[in-house]
């Protein structure tokens, strides 16, 4: 499934992620998942929120002078069993797809782990994932 | 010791007469042999016949750095190229250097000027002078070299860099003086300590430091660490190179050799001469330089002049510390950097906003060169590698144009001050007091 993700450019300084988290929190927007990648002097926070809140979250962050982009990423429900992830990744590799980055989160109440994948070919990757 | 007592200790009246004679000749030479100066003087409505004494210099138009760029490479020469014996060049703002040319007499006068400095530092034919200024197009190396030869001293032409070898030769040869930038001297002092060398095994007594601004605090540090007396040597490529002036044993101002390089101080806004002793922009006229005379060349250096006789016996005018620049040029790691260069480079990149903030500091005796930039909103991406690549492209481009590598910091949109015109585009945290 394709879902939308918000990416925010952050200077690598104390309290920067707190600013974003506070901004969303004060506006009653819950982060379902996020990851932060960093270099020495800047980082990028990638955030998933509820589908019906994403436009509002995006506009809110943008209005507060942050560099923010919205991208489509592939969402994979990966079964809680050994080898499930390997199978998905092998299929992507076989189709010649490179993964730019990915992150995963699990919740014990579900039989699936949730994996977010940013491939170089989003459409094709989504097709492969949905056929799993 | 005084190298040329007649000139260096001349009465003000005699100096005035000498300068007046020289000015008349050099103005006529420039007017008659340079299409550039002829046109400039004609536009200004002044002719060589209007110059009767040095006081008439205020009738003449100014020359600026841009004139040298516009006439690159040889358009400022006032003699046929067959008479030019040497060319030097310094880095320019757009990659195009400025070029200067010397006839034999110019080289002789230049080494005379450096000889006066070296003698004032107490150096003579017994001394071994290690020249750790770069040799090449830069005037520092060869300028100092010719001066040492002129006083009959021994030249150790190591040029800059390869510090370990420098220190070994300095120690083995028993160099009594070293000529380099003050920051490189501090670096050498640090290396001596790191390598566990004993400064008492060195024979250094004098440091000849210039090509960048430095403070009395640096002087004290250099003198303490290297067991030397540290002296300033002032100069600029356009006027001839190092040796336009130098300190004496009193270390109370830099004597300018005003029979060769006539100094004025002007208000950089009104362009009118200021009262004696007031601060303003330093302007030089080369009174005895024939290959490429400079008439009222605006240095952009801000300072003041002191015409009182010095305790050393010299009457030669003394220049105070350089207090800053009337344009926005900065000297970073010995390289001239203009914020306008950074602006024009940013404009080459569609991905970057044209706003930036340069911050310069000095950490462990090395200049830092940080530039904050913003990426245009549409060019932000969720992929960190693309931003890193974008930053690397800018770093490389600036390094190739400016000559030194900046640390680029991408900041959030809207962080950098927008107001055009008076926007603060550079902050220099270095302390030159």
């Amino acid at each position: 499934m394709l879902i939308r993700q918000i990416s925010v450019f952050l200077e690598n300084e104390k309290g920067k992620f707190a600013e974003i988290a506070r901004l969303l929190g004060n506006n009653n927007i819950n982060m379902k998942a996020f990851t932060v990648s960093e270099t020495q002097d800047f980082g990028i926070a990638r955030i998933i929120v509820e589908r019906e809140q994403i436009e509002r979250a995006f506009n809110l962050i943008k209005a507060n002078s942050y560099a923010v982009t919205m991208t489509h990423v592939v969402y994979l429900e990966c079964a809680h069993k050994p080898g499930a992830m390997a199978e998905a990744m092998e299929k992507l590799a076989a189709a010649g797809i490179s993964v730019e980055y990915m992150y995963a989160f699990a919740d014990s109440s579900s039989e699936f782990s949730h994996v977010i994948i940013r491939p170089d070919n989003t459409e094709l990757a989504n097709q492969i994932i949905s056929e799993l | 010791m005084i190298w040329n007592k007649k000139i260096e200790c001349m009465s003000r009246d005699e100096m005035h007469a000498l300068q007046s004679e020289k000015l008349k000749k050099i103005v006529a030479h420039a007017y008659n042999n340079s299409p550039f100066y002829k046109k400039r003087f004609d536009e200004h409505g002044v002719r060589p016949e209007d110059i009767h004494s040095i006081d008439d210099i205020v009738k003449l138009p100014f020359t600026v750095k841009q004139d040298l760029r516009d006439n690159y490479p040889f358009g400022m020469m006032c003699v046929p190229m067959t008479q030019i014996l040497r060319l030097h060049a310094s880095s320019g703002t757009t990659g195009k250097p400025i070029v200067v040319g010397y006839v034999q007499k110019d080289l002789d006068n230049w080494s005379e000027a450096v000889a006066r400095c070296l003698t004032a530092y107490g150096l003579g034919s017994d001394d071994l002078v290690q020249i750790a200024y770069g040799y090449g197009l830069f005037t520092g190396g060869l300028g100092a070299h010719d001066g040492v030869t002129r006083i009959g001293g021994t030249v150790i032409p190591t040029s800059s860099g390869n510090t370990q070898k420098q220190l070994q030769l300095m120690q083995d040869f028993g160099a009594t003086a070293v000529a380099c930038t003050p920051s490189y001297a501090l670096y050498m002092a640090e290396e001596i300590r790191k390598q566990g060398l004993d400064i008492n095994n060195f024979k250094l007594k004098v440091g000849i430091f210039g090509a960048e601004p430095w403070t009395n605090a640096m002087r004290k540090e250099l003198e303490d660490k290297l067991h030397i007396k540290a002296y300033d040597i002032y100069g600029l490529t356009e006027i001839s190179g190092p040796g336009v002036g130098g300190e004496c044993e009193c270390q109370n101002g830099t004597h300018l050799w005003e029979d060769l390089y006539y100094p004025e101080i002007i208000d950089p806004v009104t362009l009118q001469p200021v009262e004696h002793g007031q601060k303003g922009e330093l302007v030089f006229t080369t009174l005895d330089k024939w290959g490429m005379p400079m008439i009222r060349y605006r240095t952009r250096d801000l300072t003041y002049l002191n015409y009182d006789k010095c305790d050393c016996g010299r009457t030669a005018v003394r220049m105070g510390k350089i207090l800053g620049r009337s344009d926005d040029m900065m000297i970073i790691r010995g390289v001239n950097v203009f914020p306008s260069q950074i602006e024009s480079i940013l404009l080459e990149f569609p991905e970057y906003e044209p706003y930036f903030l340069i911050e310069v500091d000095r950490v462990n005796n090395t200049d830092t060169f940080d530039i904050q930039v913003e990426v245009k909103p549409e060019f932000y991406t969720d992929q960190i590698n693309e931003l890193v690549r974008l930053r690397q492209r800018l770093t490389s481009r600036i390094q190739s144009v400016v000559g030194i590598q900046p640390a680029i910091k991408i900041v959030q949109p809207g962080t950098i001050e927008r107001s055009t015109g008076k926007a603060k585009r550079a902050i220099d945290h270095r302390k030159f007091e």
Side-chain angles (χ1 to χ4, degrees), chain B residues 355-357 371-374 409 411-419 424:
Chain B
Y355 315 114
F356 61 93
L357 180 67
I371 309 176
Q372 291 183 21
V373 294
E374 288 177 22
K409 184 174 185 212
V411 297
Q412 280 172 226
T415 310
I416 298 166
E417 189 186 348
R418 291 301 199 260
S419 58
K424 189 98 185 137

Side-chain angles (χ1 to χ4, degrees), chain B residues 279-403:
Chain B
K279 289 168 192 169
E281 180 182 328
L282 182 61
V283 171
F284 278 111
T285 298
T286 58
L287 294 178
D288 210 346
K289 190 153 164 278
W290 299 81
M292 193 173 137
M294 282 286 114
I295 306 293
R296 300 195 88 195
Y297 181 75
R298 295 183 60 185
T299 65
R300 306 288 176 171
D301 283 336
L302 297 175
T303 186
Y304 55 93
L305 297 177
N306 175 2
Y307 286 91
D308 296 340
K309 187 177 172 182
C310 183
D311 291 341
C312 70
R314 289 177 184 80
T315 52
V317 64
R318 276 171 290 162
M319 175 181 82
K321 281 265 179 218
I322 301 294
L323 303 163
R325 301 271 308 169
S326 69
D327 59 9
D328 52 5
M329 187 183 90
M330 293 181 291
I331 301 179
I332 307 174
R333 293 175 216 154
V335 173
N336 296 350
V337 179
F338 291 86
S340 54
Q341 289 174 290
I342 306 302
E343 181 164 31
S344 56
I345 294 168
L346 283 172
L347 289 168
E348 295 170 10
F349 284 81
E351 297 93 341
Y352 288 104
E353 299 279 10
Y355 315 114
F356 61 93
L357 180 67
I358 299 173
E359 286 190 82
V360 182
D361 206 344
R362 189 164 281 172
V363 179
N364 296 331
N365 300 320
T366 303
D367 292 336
T368 60
F369 177 30
D370 297 341
I371 309 176
Q372 291 183 21
V373 294
E374 288 177 22
V375 171
K376 285 183 190 156
E378 61 269 33
F379 286 100
Y380 279 99
T381 145
D382 64 318
Q383 292 175 58
I384 219 153
N385 288 342
E386 283 188 18
L387 285 176
V388 170
R389 263 195 299 277
L390 184 58
R391 182 176 58 182
Q392 185 52 45
R393 277 170 51 214
L394 181 61
T395 305
S396 306
R397 180 71 186 133
I398 292 174
Q399 175 158 27
S400 75
V401 172
V402 177

Side-chain angles (χ1 to χ4, degrees), chain A residues 5 7 9 11 13 16 37 39 41-42 44 46 65-67 69 71 100-101 118, chain B residues 375 377-378 380-385 387-388 391 408-415:
Chain A
Q5 167 194 265
S7 302
F9 173 89
E11 287 171 40
E13 277 169 28
K16 282 290 169 189
S37 313
T39 66
D41 51 88
F42 67 86
I44 294 176
R46 293 138 183 164
S65 295
Y66 292 94
T69 50
T71 8
E100 306 283 354
Y101 59 82
R118 170 70 151 100
Chain B
V375 171
E378 61 269 33
Y380 279 99
T381 145
D382 64 318
Q383 292 175 58
I384 219 153
N385 288 342
L387 285 176
V388 170
R391 182 176 58 182
I408 299 291
K409 184 174 185 212
I410 300 175
V411 297
Q412 280 172 226
T415 310

Side-chain angles (χ1 to χ4, degrees), chain B residues 254-278:
Chain B
T254 300
H255 287 285
L256 298 176
W257 312 127
E258 51 181 318
D259 57 313
L260 301 174
Y261 318 112
Y262 180 77
E264 298 172 79
I265 301 285
I266 61 161
D267 180 321
V269 178
T270 65
L271 304 184
Q272 295 303 308
V274 300
E275 293 290 317
H276 270 190
Q278 294 300 300

